[in-house]
Amino acid sequence: MAGKTVTRSDLSEIVYNAVGLSRSESAQIVETVLDEISDALIRGEDVKLSSFGSFLVRHKNGRMGRNPKTGEEVPIDPRRVLSFRASHVLKEKINKMAGLG
Amino acid sequence: MIKSELIVKIAELYPHLYQRDVETIVNQLLDEIGDAMGRGDRVELRGFGTFSVKQREARIGRNPRTGESVAVAKKHAPFFKTGKDLRDRMNRDGGR
């Protein structure tokens, strides 16, 4: 495993090399892509990106939880959580690149 | 929202770009995130979330219909953890 961390600046570099925008505009468009995906999820919409995967908004009901340290009961409010389901294409790519079929 | 709708939205915000360039950008971003996971790297996008790869050991699975044992090979599974900022905003800005 290589174990490096890829960040926004690496992604901007990809955009910079792809279509010949300025560095600052490349960084800005990476941000816009993430913002548009986030905004849809915040509105409660699922985001499906073919050959990559789906971000699904799931609704969790409220329930009584327990503080494991004190044993005290605490109410957990209903909330929305995000789950990511990778597409088959992405799963296959990752396994192929790792030399696992 | 699907990928083509995302591309149209971004193209509207960058009217000086051709829609096909926006399409290239979106596809290259997603490809790079996938390539990074294929290399075993993490992709950390503060406020949005982190993509990483989890290793699943080989195991003996079972066909739930027939009860038959089947060998499941070792594999790498992509994983996404939602960033704190996005998680909070999904519960604050949009209501529940």
Side-chain angles (χ1 to χ4, degrees):
Chain A
M1 292 270 98
K4 268 183 43 197
T5 300
V6 170
T7 62
R8 280 176 168 78
S9 71
D10 300 299
L11 297 183
S12 321
E13 199 62 23
I14 297 282
V15 174
Y16 178 71
N17 293 325
V19 283
L21 299 176
S22 69
R23 280 220 148 76
S24 73
E25 198 167 38
S26 302
Q28 201 191 330
I29 204 162
V30 169
E31 216 48 53
T32 305
V33 172
L34 297 176
D35 283 347
E36 289 299 326
I37 295 173
S38 303
D39 288 351
L41 297 167
I42 291 163
R43 290 194 299 269
E45 278 178 45
D46 292 341
V47 176
K48 298 183 178 179
L49 304 172
S50 67
S51 77
F52 184 73
S54 304
F55 295 95
L56 307 169
V57 179
R58 305 178 63 175
H59 300 259
K60 297 275 199 180
N61 289 326
R63 62 186 167 89
M64 285 310 279
R66 204 177 275 281
N67 180 328
K69 197 169 285 177
T70 62
E72 198 183 350
E73 285 214 323
V74 255
I76 296 175
D77 289 338
R79 64 208 157 98
R80 300 203 296 205
V81 297
L82 179 55
S83 77
F84 174 70
R85 281 203 52 163
S87 76
H88 280 285
V89 179
L90 179 60
K91 287 184 192 169
E92 273 169 27
K93 167 166 149 170
I94 288 170
N95 283 287
K96 210 166 272 169
M97 283 180 69
L100 297 172
Chain B
M1 181 167 74
I2 61 173
K3 188 155 75 182
S4 57
E5 294 166 337
L6 173 66
I7 290 165
V8 168
K9 273 210 169 147
I10 294 164
E12 282 169 9
L13 295 169
Y14 292 82
H16 59 294
L17 296 184
Y18 289 113
Q19 190 165 311
R20 64 160 188 276
D21 286 341
V22 175
E23 195 173 338
T24 304
I25 289 168
V26 170
N27 284 325
Q28 294 222 6
L29 285 179
L30 298 176
D31 280 352
E32 173 56 21
I33 295 173
D35 285 347
M37 286 192 279
R39 295 191 299 265
D41 293 347
R42 307 154 32 85
V43 181
E44 191 175 304
L45 303 169
R46 289 279 164 86
F48 182 77
T50 302
F51 294 92
S52 60
V53 181
K54 301 219 162 180
Q55 273 107 86
R56 308 275 185 233
E57 286 311 314
R59 62 188 170 86
I60 305 294
R62 221 170 254 287
N63 179 331
R65 189 168 300 176
T66 62
E68 204 181 343
S69 293
V70 260
V72 180
K74 174 180 169 176
K75 64 185 169 202
H76 287 184
F79 180 76
F80 176 75
K81 184 172 194 291
T82 312
K84 186 179 185 312
D85 200 48
L86 177 56
R87 190 177 356 118
D88 290 347
R89 290 177 64 205
M90 284 178 70
N91 286 292
R92 192 181 53 226
D93 301 6
R96 271 154 220 159

